[in-house]
Amino acid sequence: MSEARNVGILIIGGGPAGLSAAVSAYEAGARDILILEREETLGGILKQCIHSGFGLHRFGEELTGPEYAHRYIQKVLEYKIPYLLNTMVTGLAADKTVTAVNSEDGIFEIKAKAVILAMGCRERSRGALNIPGTRPAGIYTAGTAQKYVNLMGYMPGKEVVILGSGDIGLIMARRMTLEGAKVKLCCDILPVPGGLPRNIEQCLNDFGIPLRLSCTVSEIHGRDRITGVTLVSVDENRKPIPGSEEYVSCDTLLLSCGLIPENELSRGAGIEIDPKTSGPVTDENLQTSIEGVFACGNVHHVHGLVDDVSIQADIAGKAAAQYVGA
Amino acid sequence: MKERKITCIMCPKGCNISVTFAEDGSAADISGNSCPRGHEYAWNEVHHPVRTLTSTVRTASGRMVAVKSSVPVPKELLFDVMACINTVRPEEPVKFGDIVINNVCGTDADIVVTSE
């Protein structure tokens, strides 16, 4: 391993939070900035969010996800802010030394004066939901299905049940319907939908897709490929009501059951995590329990709107610029 | 007087808009919206619903790019527009802002590339 390189502000993640933090740090005077992104292009989750509805607060107009990302990527290019793609950060130490790996440089270390955590969040998976039944193919988180359809051009299935009424699940109900799949229903264990009213309207109601509330999947059927699910109604304590079971056939089950901030690196560095948000405890400048380490976007707490992620990341970028004395 | 409740889809607020109709069936009053966009949405919704359509196109080289309708298209034509979108394989280079279909399905909308 070669000697550690030095950087003023190191940003972990090139999604909406990382991009916005980089632009804001630059505009606050910082010049020695580096973004590390593990995928092959900048933009993060916005790349696969091809639907519109972003940017009304930030830009005063309705944009698609890729268009929203484009505006920030153009700024990063204009300001010539350096970034490394296909580069995975594997470790963050309390002294702000970051360990990363890519296929060109191998494993390397970067010593930063300030670090901005912008790693985003992950979807709650089947394993975390403890749904009984077999373990066949055909079960995806909604975001994984979104990546298959929108970025890779594959349809995950033809007959779909969606568990959880989060926005990504609703968006995928519409997307898969438009691409020719039969979306049979969307169910949620809670008595109120998780997603925005506009998405219930334009993603389910527009296409006559039923929404079943206080209803969940109690069993998954199928050996090699999923063949169906058992739905069950639940009472006010979310306990299954005996006798309410119903079998629904499907070849695909999408899970849209919540997002969890991705703080493996933060925990590894010993950063204090708030059990309520699963994100780092921060002060008003978004500085974590380690001086000079800032957090913003969905790694801090799960945001409803990307516009709010950008606003928060602006604060973190500016604060990091001040910290390094820019 | 007849009334119709509409959930606005123009922004994340999702206002509950109420449209009341006159004797002749025309929209007489629109209330509950918090902005002019909501008023326009509700008017369209009771006269001729339209939606912005987003999808993807595979380029001739096999790359997936995101696309959208430049203006909202009639709701009843969404599947026709999808069928049309799924027939095109534009030649590279395909860039942000390129039009891959003009005047799709006789609507006034173009299909525009929205990704890099």
Side-chain angles (χ1 to χ4, degrees):
Chain A
M1 200 158 26
S2 55
E3 205 159 297
R5 167 182 172 184
N6 289 299
V7 162
I9 301 175
L10 185 83
I11 300 173
I12 306 176
L19 291 172
S20 183
V23 167
S24 140
Y26 185 94
E27 288 174 353
R31 289 297 175 267
D32 188 12
I33 306 169
L34 178 64
I35 305 170
L36 299 183
E37 165 57 44
R38 70 175 170 187
E39 297 206 344
E40 57 192 34
T41 51
L42 295 172
I45 203 68
L46 286 170
K47 297 195 298 285
Q48 68 184 60
C49 298
I50 63 162
H51 53 282
S52 62
F54 305 95
L56 277 166
H57 297 295
R58 191 67 170 173
F59 297 111
E61 59 183 300
E62 189 166 30
L63 303 172
T64 66
E67 288 175 313
Y68 190 100
H70 178 80
R71 300 219 171 178
Y72 279 99
I73 293 169
Q74 290 306 107
K75 282 276 183 200
V76 167
L77 297 177
E78 182 192 325
Y79 294 157
K80 299 187 170 62
I81 298 172
Y83 54 88
L84 285 175
L85 302 174
N86 299 306
T87 302
M88 176 81 184
V89 174
T90 57
L92 168 67
D95 69 352
K96 287 167 277 187
T97 302
V98 166
T99 308
V101 60
N102 66 33
S103 57
E104 268 177 41
D105 306 305
I107 299 172
F108 57 98
E109 284 187 345
I110 300 175
K111 180 89 184 69
K113 280 187 204 153
V115 173
I116 300 179
L117 306 173
M119 294 90 77
C121 59
R122 300 290 165 265
E123 295 175 283
R124 192 166 279 123
S125 63
R126 181 190 173 182
L129 292 167
N130 286 325
I131 309 168
T134 53
R135 304 184 66 81
I139 304 168
Y140 309 92
T141 58
T144 300
Q146 189 178 45
K147 182 171 183 175
Y148 283 161
V149 177
N150 293 346
L151 296 183
M152 299 161 81
Y154 302 134
M155 277 289 276
K158 294 176 182 150
E159 221 182 18
V160 187
V161 168
I162 299 177
L163 172 61
S165 58
D167 284 310
I168 314 170
L170 301 176
I171 293 290
M172 282 314 291
R174 173 176 64 180
R175 183 78 185 111
M176 291 195 68
T177 302
L178 285 170
E179 290 290 0
K182 168 74 185 163
V183 178
K184 294 191 127 178
L185 59 92
C186 173
C187 64
D188 200 304
I189 195 168
L190 295 175
V192 290
L196 294 167
R198 68 188 307 216
N199 287 334
I200 301 289
E201 186 63 24
Q202 63 184 344
C203 298
L204 298 185
N205 297 347
D206 268 8
F207 301 97
I209 300 166
L211 173 63
R212 299 234 202 133
L213 298 171
S214 299
C215 173
T216 191
V217 171
S218 62
E219 193 173 350
I220 287 167
H221 305 272
R223 201 183 133 74
D224 298 325
R225 177 85 192 188
I226 183 170
T227 53
V229 293
T230 301
L231 298 181
V232 67
S233 298
V234 298
D235 63 20
E236 62 273 22
N237 300 314
R238 296 191 215 172
K239 294 288 175 222
I241 300 170
S244 69
E245 295 86 357
E246 180 193 345
Y247 179 81
V248 176
S249 68
C250 63
D251 64 16
T252 306
L253 175 67
L254 298 190
L255 306 172
S256 180
C257 302
L259 301 165
I260 304 156
E262 177 82 333
N263 275 292
E264 270 182 19
L265 293 174
S266 324
R267 286 195 178 90
I271 289 169
E272 190 188 343
I273 301 290
D274 184 336
K276 288 199 192 76
T277 60
S278 303
V281 175
T282 53
D283 65 14
E284 70 275 25
N285 286 319
L286 300 167
Q287 183 168 254
T288 67
S289 61
I290 298 181
E291 198 188 290
V293 178
F294 302 82
C296 57
N298 284 347
V299 79
H300 180 272
H301 70 273
V302 174
H303 292 64
L305 299 177
V306 70
D307 301 67
D308 295 335
V309 167
S310 296
I311 291 164
Q312 193 191 37
D314 279 355
I315 299 168
K318 198 175 166 194
Q322 280 168 353
Y323 179 81
V324 298
Chain B
M1 207 186 298
K2 273 211 262 177
E3 190 186 10
R4 185 171 154 198
K5 301 276 187 198
I6 292 170
T7 304
C8 185
I9 65 168
M10 299 313 285
C11 90
K13 267 179 94 169
C15 291
N16 291 309
I17 303 178
S18 167
V19 181
T20 52
F21 297 91
E23 292 292 319
D24 65 355
S26 63
D29 185 51
I30 295 173
S31 61
N33 54 298
S34 356
C35 75
R37 290 161 53 90
H39 189 277
E40 187 189 351
Y41 172 74
W43 196 91
N44 282 335
E45 203 61 6
V46 296
H47 290 93
H48 195 178
V50 291
R51 296 286 183 270
T52 297
L53 180 67
T54 61
S55 187
T56 51
V57 163
R58 196 182 282 279
T59 70
S61 71
R63 197 167 66 91
M64 299 296 293
V65 292
V67 295
K68 71 170 181 183
S69 62
S70 55
V71 291
V73 296
K75 193 170 143 185
E76 74 275 10
L77 290 180
L78 284 177
F79 285 95
D80 294 337
V81 175
M82 279 299 293
C84 187
I85 288 174
N86 283 338
T87 60
V88 296
R89 291 287 297 267
E91 292 291 333
E92 297 276 8
V94 176
K95 298 187 305 294
F96 183 90
D98 284 359
I99 293 173
V100 291
I101 307 173
N102 274 301
N103 191 21
V104 68
C105 296
T107 65
D108 287 330
D110 298 328
I111 299 300
V112 185
V113 176
T114 58
S115 60
E116 308 289 328

